[in-house]
Amino acid sequence: MRRIILISLLFAGSGSLLLTCVSAARAERRLAPVRSTGELRLNDIQQYVSEEPVRTIHLIGMYRTVYGNAMEEEILSLENQAIQNLKEAQTLAIREKRWEDAASLARSLTTQKISVESTGIEPDLLLADAKDRLSAGNDLPAFLSAVRSHDLKPLETPDALIFLERAVAVKQRRAAAFFLSIIEKQRGTAPEELRQFALGQDSAGDMIKGVVTVLVNRGFRIQRGAGSADWVLGSAFFVDSSGLMITNYHVIASEVDPTYEGYSRMYIRLGDSSSPRIPAKVIGWDKAMDLALIKAEIKPEYVFSLVDWVIPQVGDTVYAIGSPAGLEKTVTRGIVSALGRRLLQIGDVIQIDAAVNHGNSGGPVVDMEGRLVGIVFAGVEQFDGLNFAVPAERLAAALPAMIAGGKAQRPWLGFTISETTKGAEIIYVAPFTPAAEHQIPEGLLITSINDEIVDVPQGALIPALQDQLFSGRPGELVALTSSDGVRRVLMTVPRPDVPLAEAAKKDSRERMAAPLFGLILAPSMNRGLAASYLVKKVVRGSIADAAGLSEQDPVSIRSFRLEESDGYALLDINVKKRRMGYLETYMRLPAPLDSPDTL
């Protein structure tokens, strides 16, 4: 009994002690200063300053959007630290001869209006990269870097002569002609034997030797109980003496598509059907541009130049080379029917009337002088002479990312834009994107990117804006100025394969009506079983516009369905069209997911 009383007293004493400690802790918390949300967010930003200065600057922009000038002194201090760390990172990249990294950092620094003359400007860094690659025998990336450098700052004669000599050595006549033209524009001179080679002309017979048939064996397929061999047929052309070739992504998709579960083996064939099949592999690909870089262990007889490409004019004569229906080394002649067709996610394409059939995909299109014009990627089977090619200039811009290997990563801000008479209007901001993080309002016009105002003819604005981003890397800073007069600096992220498919999984169906169908909705006061809206705006040339919808039409959404595997979305609506006396109509609107209007 005494032992029980003793234990009880001990527990009673412990309980008093515990209560005393808890009370003291509560009192201490009451005395501690309460930290504001802004201070907590500032602490979150501080953790990135040393290792991720680009992200730090992006987060500072977000902070100012939400909190304005709160704690501006601390924010300025963080911003200065981040900029200093960016400079140091660029200096280290130059010291280690990571020229493309240094050029990327230079682009980010210029968004902060920081002069990089003392450390290294982008054209000088690209030229240094080109020379290093040339010394290592990597001709294709060397030539591409040299051209990118020249576009930003003209090459001097001694530098152009270095690349002219290599172009002649590897028998790339069109590349040689390009570097010779730089020298002669500067009134420089080149050795006569180099000049004579550059001024020569390649024949169609020469160029045919640089085109191959691509065969992708996908095993067998069963249709109606019968089995047959499943082969994908396409074309490709050599762009480097090491055996690198260009073709279409859709030709080799089964080689790299993670959703494809069947058998897939790729080969090339140099001659006719009796020629041996040579194994080939995929080096890099860009699904948004329908491009792929492949390689076979072979020394080509002819290499197409990606240096001296040309932007054609409507009516120019062109030749398409490829393997239509497996008929190797077929050349067809036609004209450029139109420019600026918007058929891919990024940029525009060329329409040609040269005969193109199944098997031509991935083959080159050249002009009468042998300069590369484009790459065949599509045709409309029901209509003869309605065929399309990716412009050579876009291939040249896309190649560096594909040479790096694997899936090409493109920068993404998170917009859908519409070209209006006033400019490029932001009609949709996708959730969880850089644009959404900076709370950029829909309805604004983009006035400049990286402080460059895009001045192009009507209808070409969206591709031109996409070009402003295309050559950059995800993770770089981009300065965006809009019609509200605000200059925002955002960090780009990797572009999703199909941006609007990803957005549709995270956003509401009424918001997705804008980027997919061109139908901008506002909530209606009418109450019913289905959510009701009024049409706030119909984007010109959109699916909603073609369906005859107009502003102030009452709309209710019945269903929204995403058919991602087939590449489209369906929106079922009831609409009372004002133009039809408000007669209620049921409509189904289909839309492709791979919109060409995203940035």
Side-chain angles (χ1 to χ4, degrees):
M1 185 68 170
R2 184 179 298 170
R3 182 178 298 172
I4 294 171
I5 293 169
L6 180 60
I7 292 172
S8 299
L9 289 170
L10 286 171
F11 273 105
S14 299
S16 301
L17 179 62
L18 180 61
L19 289 170
T20 303
C21 292
V22 170
S23 300
R26 287 175 178 169
E28 186 176 346
R29 282 202 298 271
R30 284 197 299 269
L31 292 173
V34 177
R35 305 181 73 186
S36 68
T37 307
E39 288 178 298
L40 294 173
R41 293 292 177 266
L42 204 59
N43 283 342
D44 292 340
I45 296 172
Q46 284 175 332
Q47 65 180 315
Y48 295 107
V49 175
S50 298
E51 300 298 327
E52 299 183 67
V54 170
R55 183 180 296 277
T56 301
I57 294 170
H58 174 80
L59 292 173
I60 286 172
M62 291 171 55
Y63 182 95
R64 285 181 170 140
T65 298
V66 176
Y67 300 104
N69 294 327
M71 305 186 71
E72 184 63 15
E73 186 176 339
E74 291 84 348
I75 281 291
L76 281 173
S77 176
L78 281 177
E79 193 170 39
N80 290 333
Q81 289 177 48
I83 291 171
Q84 182 59 36
N85 289 338
L86 271 179
K87 290 179 179 178
E88 292 174 1
Q90 192 203 30
T91 301
L92 179 62
I94 292 170
R95 189 183 308 133
E96 295 176 351
K97 295 188 176 182
R98 292 183 286 110
W99 304 115
E100 289 203 346
D101 290 343
S104 175
L105 290 163
R107 289 192 290 269
S108 287
L109 280 167
T110 54
T111 67
Q112 301 303 296
K113 301 187 176 180
I114 303 296
S115 173
V116 291
E117 294 288 343
S118 58
T119 54
I121 59 174
E122 186 177 357
D124 293 344
L125 298 169
L126 291 172
L127 180 58
D129 176 64
K131 289 179 178 178
D132 278 2
R133 291 180 184 271
L134 204 66
S135 298
N138 298 323
D139 296 336
L140 176 60
F143 289 156
L144 290 171
S145 287
V147 173
R148 287 162 63 198
S149 174
H150 176 71
D151 288 343
L152 296 171
K153 187 176 79 171
L155 292 177
E156 295 181 358
T157 294
D159 292 326
L161 185 58
I162 294 172
F163 296 100
L164 170 61
E165 290 171 346
R166 177 57 64 88
V168 173
V170 296
K171 298 181 179 180
Q172 288 197 34
R173 194 184 305 276
R174 297 312 317 172
F178 176 82
F179 292 115
L180 177 65
S181 68
I182 295 173
I183 294 170
E184 292 186 340
K185 283 178 183 177
Q186 298 178 357
R187 302 185 182 279
T189 57
E192 187 59 26
E193 64 274 16
L194 301 183
R195 188 172 179 276
Q196 288 301 319
F197 176 84
L199 295 177
Q201 183 78 32
D202 292 327
S203 67
D206 293 327
M207 289 183 279
I208 285 174
K209 296 175 184 177
V211 181
V212 305
T213 303
V214 179
L215 304 128
V216 181
N217 182 3
R218 301 200 303 187
F220 287 85
R221 59 180 172 180
I222 306 296
Q223 287 183 319
R224 297 180 181 178
S228 61
D230 186 7
W231 287 87
V232 177
L233 182 69
S235 302
F237 57 99
F238 289 103
V239 291
D240 189 71
S241 56
S242 66
L244 289 172
M245 293 164 278
I246 291 297
T247 188
N248 287 144
Y249 170 83
H250 75 259
V251 173
I252 58 86
S254 60
E255 292 284 294
V256 297
D257 185 355
T259 64
Y260 179 78
E261 297 178 350
Y263 176 86
S264 182
R265 293 290 184 274
M266 180 172 62
Y267 306 90
I268 65 163
R269 194 167 60 204
L270 297 177
D272 59 22
S273 57
S274 63
S275 302
R277 295 196 298 262
I278 302 168
K281 62 181 179 180
V282 179
I283 300 299
W285 65 94
D286 190 331
K287 185 177 180 180
M289 298 294 294
D290 197 12
L291 295 171
L293 182 68
I294 64 177
K295 188 177 191 296
E297 297 303 323
I298 189 170
K299 184 80 171 176
E301 293 186 60
Y302 183 86
V303 174
F304 285 82
S305 170
L306 289 173
V307 171
D308 193 31
W309 49 262
V310 64
I311 299 174
Q313 300 298 313
V314 174
D316 285 357
T317 299
V318 293
Y319 300 92
I321 309 174
S323 304
L327 300 173
E328 292 83 356
K329 305 186 183 304
T330 298
V331 181
T332 56
R333 177 176 173 171
I335 63 168
V336 175
S337 304
L339 302 173
R341 299 301 191 199
R342 307 288 312 288
L343 300 182
L344 294 174
Q345 283 189 35
I346 301 174
D348 49 22
V349 301
I350 301 166
Q351 181 182 329
I352 60 174
D353 77 344
V356 167
N357 294 283
H358 175 67
N360 271 108
S361 292
V365 178
V366 298
D367 71 355
M368 296 184 70
E369 295 182 28
R371 295 175 296 183
L372 189 65
V373 170
I375 308 92
V376 174
F377 82 95
V380 181
E381 293 183 2
Q382 297 92 332
F383 302 96
D384 291 335
L386 197 55
N387 305 304
F388 304 94
V390 180
E393 61 172 322
R394 301 200 187 281
L395 168 61
L399 254 179
M402 291 194 290
I403 291 171
K407 175 185 173 183
Q409 298 286 352
R410 300 298 175 199
W412 166 242
L413 290 174
F415 295 130
T416 295
I417 50 182
S418 168
E419 183 171 350
T420 69
T421 54
K422 295 179 180 179
E425 180 184 348
I426 300 169
I427 63 168
Y428 174 73
V429 175
F432 309 107
T433 61
E437 290 172 347
H438 276 246
Q439 300 181 16
I440 298 178
E442 293 162 357
L444 292 180
L445 300 176
I446 297 173
T447 56
S448 73
I449 294 180
N450 290 335
D451 302 312
E452 291 187 23
I453 298 173
V454 178
D455 184 16
V456 294
Q458 184 79 18
L461 182 55
I462 294 176
L465 290 172
Q466 290 173 332
D467 286 344
Q468 293 281 87
L469 291 182
F470 189 77
S471 60
R473 292 179 176 180
E476 290 182 0
L477 293 174
V478 170
L480 186 79
T481 307
S482 50
S483 54
D484 59 358
V486 179
R487 183 181 186 270
R488 300 171 176 89
V489 178
L490 299 78
M491 182 185 76
T492 59
V493 297
R495 180 188 178 91
D497 282 343
V498 186
L500 293 186
E502 294 301 312
K505 297 172 186 176
K506 302 168 186 174
D507 215 340
S508 64
R509 58 188 187 178
E510 59 268 20
R511 281 185 47 75
M512 292 308 302
L516 286 170
F517 307 96
L519 189 60
I520 301 174
L521 301 174
S524 172
M525 299 301 293
N526 294 333
R527 294 185 178 181
L529 294 177
S532 297
Y533 306 90
L534 285 177
V535 176
K536 183 179 178 181
K537 183 178 180 180
V538 175
V539 176
R540 187 184 60 182
S542 67
I543 291 165
D545 189 24
L549 278 75
S550 59
E551 292 183 12
Q552 299 303 308
D553 283 350
V555 168
S556 61
I557 297 177
R558 297 179 59 175
S559 69
F560 173 77
R561 193 162 78 246
L562 189 68
E563 300 290 349
E564 190 172 2
S565 59
D566 294 322
Y568 67 90
L570 291 174
L571 182 70
D572 293 337
I573 60 173
N574 286 341
V575 56
K576 296 179 180 179
K577 294 184 179 180
R578 291 187 301 112
R579 296 172 181 172
M580 298 175 62
Y582 290 102
L583 177 67
E584 186 167 356
T585 308
Y586 164 75
M587 301 185 72
R588 168 167 286 183
L589 303 178
L593 292 172
D594 55 348
S595 167
D597 300 330
T598 54
L599 192 63

